[in-house]
Amino acid sequence: MKNQITYTEHNGLYYPDLALPEQTSYPLGKYANLRLDFIKKHRRGTYTTLLTEGRLNEYLHAIDVQAHKLLDDIISRLAQERSLDEVLKAHNALQWTAEMNNIKASAEEIVLQEVVYQ
């Protein structure tokens, strides 16, 4: 039987032999860890369900991949819209760096709101 629970006796008391299912072990990045912290604090049901079903690491890895893909897409789109190319980088590296830092900060804010803290 799949749902049969076994017990172990300690000092005359019987304790159920419970264990969480095996999980994947993807390395977690910045956005996955931010999402983990968020669901622990604000989405306790989701966190508990994912943990007990053994899907937490896989879920967080998917969030991290999605966040990085969106971040890259937004950065490249905004850089293209603002004409930040290799020519500007070669002629005025300081302006290019300032503009790219601005774009990265804006893109990260969008990713945090749309992926991590939803």
Side-chain angles (χ1 to χ4, degrees), residues 2-8 15-23 48-55:
K2 185 178 180 182
N3 295 329
Q4 185 176 2
I5 298 175
T6 59
Y7 296 87
T8 304
Y15 296 95
D17 296 326
L18 302 176
L20 292 174
E22 291 293 322
Q23 290 197 42
T48 303
T49 300
L50 290 168
L51 182 63
T52 57
E53 291 178 354
R55 298 184 302 128

Side-chain angles (χ1 to χ4, degrees), residues 54-98:
R55 298 184 302 128
L56 182 61
N57 183 263
E58 186 177 342
Y59 169 79
L60 293 172
H61 176 70
I63 291 291
D64 205 44
V65 168
Q66 179 185 2
H68 280 288
K69 183 179 180 322
L70 182 60
L71 185 70
D72 292 343
D73 291 347
I74 293 171
I75 288 172
S76 64
R77 184 173 40 92
L78 290 176
Q80 187 177 26
E81 286 175 6
R82 296 181 185 178
S83 301
L84 298 178
D85 54 11
E86 294 300 317
V87 175
L88 178 63
K89 185 177 179 180
H91 287 83
N92 193 344
L94 190 59
Q95 180 185 358
W96 182 87
T97 302

Side-chain angles (χ1 to χ4, degrees), residues 5-54:
I5 298 175
T6 59
Y7 296 87
T8 304
E9 188 251 330
H10 292 285
N11 298 327
L13 296 174
Y14 289 93
Y15 296 95
D17 296 326
L18 302 176
L20 292 174
E22 291 293 322
Q23 290 197 42
T24 57
S25 60
Y26 294 113
L28 300 179
K30 172 184 178 178
Y31 299 108
N33 285 310
L34 288 170
R35 180 65 179 175
L36 176 60
D37 186 52
F38 177 76
I39 64 173
K40 277 184 177 179
K41 291 178 182 174
H42 303 286
R43 304 283 191 273
R44 295 287 303 165
T46 301
Y47 170 73
T48 303
T49 300
L50 290 168
L51 182 63
T52 57
E53 291 178 354

